Structures are given as structure tokens and as C-alpha cells.
Amino acid sequence: DAGVIQSPRHEVTEMGQEVTLRCKPISGHNSLFWYRQTMMRGLELLIYFNNNVPIDDSGMPEDRFSAKMPNASFSTLKIQPSEPRDSAVYFCASSNLGTQYFGPGTRLLVL
Amino acid sequence: EDQVTQSPEALRLQEGESSSLNCSYTVSGLRGLFWYRQDPGKGPEFLFTLYSAGEEKEKERLKATLTKKESFLHITAPKPEDSATYLCAVDRGSTLGRLYFGRGTQLTVWP
């Protein structure tokens, strides 16, 4: 298995632009998690899905952030409009209600 | 409030100098405790899952143990390639696989 796939791996954008991060979970996994990691705050859970349904989005910092999971093999995290404080590494992870397996992350820099 | 605390925040060891990392937790209804390793620029990599007090698991120079209040990751005769950040996470069992992560211990092993 290829593991969790994320794209892009790096993203540099200007403040105010829309950013879309993509994730393909491991085939057969029914839960998907979006995290943000910064030096200041560590690893924070933003939102997670179970069987494509959002379960808890209380970690989403603002209405500027939104996430979708249209099917079992794809999810997106969108930031619109982006701000410099959104700069971080964003990870996607998937699981079968057990061990979570992480993707390589998307390093986002908002100028 | 549920909490996962890791100590120390950073640890420097000389090659061959054994030590332990600590993860204390205050969650109720623990379903599992997870250890991950994270290398710079990469996503967390799964190491171990522990389910009940008294359980131990080993992998090469690493051994994880669990009590009712904390877990230890023992590193025996570490090598420079063991340098990484080690993350601890707990599953409460009532949140569809959501994990609560600690801030991690940054381990540096110098030759």
C-alpha cells in the first residue's frame, strides 16, 4: 500500500488567496483526520471524519477553514482567505478506529 | 480536562547512554496508548500501541511500558539514528478513534 498521500507537499501563497490541501487515505480505512502542526502549539486536530461524515470540527480555527470528504478515497481542506498565521504543516491521517497512519504533510507558507 | 503530558521536552544523550521518556495521562476510559516517532520534515510514524496496565512492547532498542497513569519509552544503548521527536497519544475509546497527543520529547543522540 502507498500509505496516506497528500498534495501538494509544499505550498507558498499570498495572504488572501484560497488554498486547497488534498488527501487520499489508505484504502479500507474508515476514519480520516486533519491535523495542523506548529512549533508553538504542537499537533492540533482540526477535524475528523468517520465513514465520510464529519464527526467533530471543533478544532477548525475559523470559518475560513472548511473540509470535505466526498468519498472514501478523497478529502480536501480549504482555507479561504488565507492569512500568514495559517502557515504550518498540515497532516492527514487515516485509521480503522485504531492506529492512525499519517501522510507526509503539506508545508504551507502564507506571505 | 483530559490531558497528555510528555517529559522531558528535550533530551540529549550520548551514544550508548540509555534513558527513558515519560508520558503521563489523565484520560478516563483509556482504550489505547500510542507511541509515534517523527523525523524532521516527515509525518509521525507509528511505533507501538499499548492497551492495558502491565503491557510491554519492544522494537529494536525501544521498549514501551504502560501503567494506569503513565507510559515509558525506554531507549537502550541509543544510536544517532534514534534522534527524533517521540510523540505519545491516547485513545479514550468513546470518540471514534480520535487521539489526544502530547507535545512530544525531542531526542538527540550524539556520537
Side-chain angles (χ1 to χ4, degrees):
Chain A
D1 199 315
V4 176
I5 299 172
Q6 292 188 246
S7 65
R9 293 293 311 277
H10 303 273
E11 178 81 26
V12 180
T13 190
E14 293 187 346
M15 183 174 62
Q17 296 298 305
E18 178 178 295
V19 175
T20 299
L21 311 181
R22 296 173 177 80
C23 175
K24 177 179 170 56
I26 293 172
S27 177
H29 282 187
N30 58 9
S31 294
L32 183 141
F33 305 80
W34 281 102
Y35 292 89
R36 177 172 69 177
Q37 188 175 44
T38 61
M39 289 293 292
M40 290 290 292
R41 301 174 68 89
L43 195 62
E44 302 175 275
L45 178 66
L46 300 177
I47 184 171
Y48 70 104
F49 298 82
N50 183 254
N51 292 323
N52 311 336
V53 176
I55 302 301
D56 184 351
D57 66 353
S58 59
M60 298 285 260
E62 301 171 31
D63 291 345
R64 299 184 296 107
F65 286 68
S66 62
K68 295 182 179 180
M69 192 166 184
N71 57 63
S73 59
F74 184 66
S75 178
T76 60
L77 178 67
K78 186 176 294 185
I79 308 173
Q80 166 63 20
S82 59
E83 296 184 3
R85 59 188 165 135
D86 301 330
S87 298
V89 181
Y90 291 80
F91 290 104
C92 175
S94 70
S95 78
N96 252 338
L97 299 184
T99 302
Q100 290 185 19
Y101 294 89
F102 284 75
T106 295
R107 186 172 297 272
L108 174 65
L109 177 61
V110 183
L111 302 174
Chain B
E1 181 179 324
D2 294 341
Q3 190 170 9
V4 180
T5 305
Q6 292 188 247
S7 62
E9 291 184 11
L11 181 63
R12 288 177 56 86
L13 298 173
Q14 187 169 13
E15 184 172 4
E17 180 186 2
S18 301
S19 187
S20 297
L21 313 183
N22 177 263
C23 171
S24 63
Y25 60 93
T26 57
V27 300
S28 56
L30 180 74
R31 182 168 180 263
L33 186 141
F34 299 79
W35 283 98
Y36 287 82
R37 168 189 171 130
Q38 186 174 22
D39 291 297
K42 296 188 176 182
E45 177 187 350
F46 169 71
L47 292 173
F48 304 109
T49 309
L50 302 168
Y51 295 102
S52 58
E55 188 175 1
E56 299 183 352
K57 287 193 176 174
E58 290 188 61
K59 181 180 179 179
E60 297 181 354
R61 294 176 293 282
L62 301 177
K63 183 170 79 172
T65 62
L66 181 65
T67 72
K68 289 186 178 180
K69 295 290 186 183
E70 58 191 349
S71 176
F72 292 93
L73 185 64
H74 307 278
I75 304 176
T76 302
K79 297 182 178 181
E81 53 261 43
D82 295 321
S83 297
T85 296
Y86 290 85
L87 297 166
C88 165
V90 298
D91 178 355
R92 285 171 44 191
S94 60
T95 51
L96 289 176
R98 175 182 177 162
L99 297 183
Y100 295 82
F101 279 86
R103 293 297 302 272
T105 293
Q106 185 174 7
L107 174 66
T108 303
V109 182
W110 47 286

